Structures are given as structure tokens and as C-alpha cells.
């Protein structure tokens, strides 16, 4: 599976998830280029350290809850794509998806704002990665084609 397909698969997982998921967090960080140390699943005790990400030499930082915390999702978006515009909208109604996000013209939806923002960010990153080596018009359309219909309105 290539990087673009992996990012789009993660975006779909974000939209399908109904709650935060630490495995999804770790997968998102790995897809964005971080070295992730996962918490062991066997022989773990209360003193076993939580998972983390490797940054700057030998510094380990706690793995952020990107699927649970909108501040962590926004921080990650600003770090990986500092010039990109984004928006998040809460929808009130009977629909299952309560939030919709738009990142660099790619949309995402989710049960939580952080999940919707992650889905849109991953789609936009997939579009950027595919545009580097292909015709940009076709690549942009293909990367955001799996995104749900954009119901965000400009105000």
C-alpha cells in the first residue's frame, strides 16, 4: 500500500470511528512521519510507560490523543501544514455525523470534531503527496474524491 492510499484509509477509519482510539492515534502519527513507540500489550502493568513519539534526537514525547483532543489535532495540522486554511463546523440534527471539517479544500466528517479534522487533514495530505509526482488537477480530484460531499458553507 502506498502512502497516499494509507492516508486515505486512515481518513476513512477516522470517519468510521465513533470514539477516540489510541491505536488510531499511533497510526496517524506514523503516517505523518513520526517514529512511534507503542505501549506493550502483553505483560503491561500500571508502571509500564504509555506510548510515545520520537522527536529531536533522543527525546520521547507522549503520544498525543489526536483522535480525542481538538487542540492536539489543530497543533498537528499546524505543524505538518503551517500555511493551510481549515474550518470545523458542528451540525445539529438527526444525522450520525455531528462534525464536518474542511482542510485545503478536502472535507472530512466524524462523530467528534477532532476525528473530522483528522480525516480532512489526512485527505489533504494525500492530495499534496500525490500532486508532487502527478498531474496536479487529476491528483487533487482523485485524493478528495473519496471525501463525502462538502456541505460546509462560507459565512
Amino acid at each position: 500500500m502506498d502512502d497516499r492510499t494509507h492516508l486515505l484509509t486512515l481518513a476513512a477509519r477516522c470517519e468510521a470511528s465513533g470514539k477516540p482510539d489510541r491505536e488510531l492515534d499511533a497510526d496517524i502519527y506514523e503516517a505523518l512521519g513520526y517514529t512511534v513507540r507503542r505501549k506493550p500489550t502483553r505483560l503491561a502493568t500500571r508502571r509500564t510507560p504509555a506510548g510515545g513519539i520520537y522527536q529531536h534526537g533522543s527525546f520521547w514525547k507522549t503520544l498525543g490523543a489526536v483522535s480525542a483532543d481538538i487542540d492536539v489535532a489543530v497543533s498537528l495540522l499546524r505543524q505538518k501544514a503551517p500555511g493551510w486554511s481549515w474550518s470545523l463546523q458542528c451540525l445539529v440534527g438527526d444525522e450520525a455525523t455531528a462534525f464536518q471539517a474542511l482542510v485545503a479544500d478536502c472535507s472530512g466528517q466524524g462523530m467528534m470534531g477532532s476525528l473530522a479534522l483528522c480525516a480532512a487533514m489526512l485527505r489533504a495530505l494525500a492530495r499534496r503527496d500525490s500532486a508532487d509526482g502527478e498531474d496536479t488537477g487529476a491528483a487533487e480530484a482523485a485524493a478528495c474524491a473519496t471525501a463525502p460531499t462538502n456541505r460546509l458553507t462560507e459565512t
Side-chain angles (χ1 to χ4, degrees), residues 3-114:
D3 290 338
R4 181 182 165 276
T5 306
H6 185 61
L7 290 171
L8 293 175
T9 302
L10 282 175
R13 279 181 56 197
C14 288
E15 290 182 338
S17 180
K19 61 182 183 175
D21 181 7
R22 295 301 282 169
E23 279 298 313
L24 181 59
D25 293 340
D27 291 342
I28 289 171
Y29 275 100
E30 281 180 336
L32 296 179
Y34 291 95
T35 301
V36 175
R37 176 175 57 187
R38 296 173 188 259
K39 183 175 182 174
T41 55
R42 296 184 316 170
L43 304 174
T45 66
R46 288 185 180 197
R47 293 184 177 196
T48 304
I53 56 175
Y54 185 68
Q55 291 183 326
H56 310 295
S58 62
F59 176 66
W60 282 97
K61 179 182 172 188
T62 303
L63 183 67
V66 68
S67 65
D69 189 349
I70 190 70
D71 292 329
V72 175
V74 168
S75 172
L76 192 59
L77 174 62
R78 286 182 177 159
Q79 186 177 26
K80 289 298 176 179
W84 286 4
S85 62
W86 61 274
S87 66
L88 181 67
Q89 181 180 18
C90 178
L91 304 174
V92 179
D94 297 333
E95 295 186 30
T97 57
F99 290 90
Q100 285 195 342
L102 186 66
V103 175
D105 295 331
C106 286
S107 64
Q109 58 187 7
M111 292 299 294
M112 299 176 61
S114 54

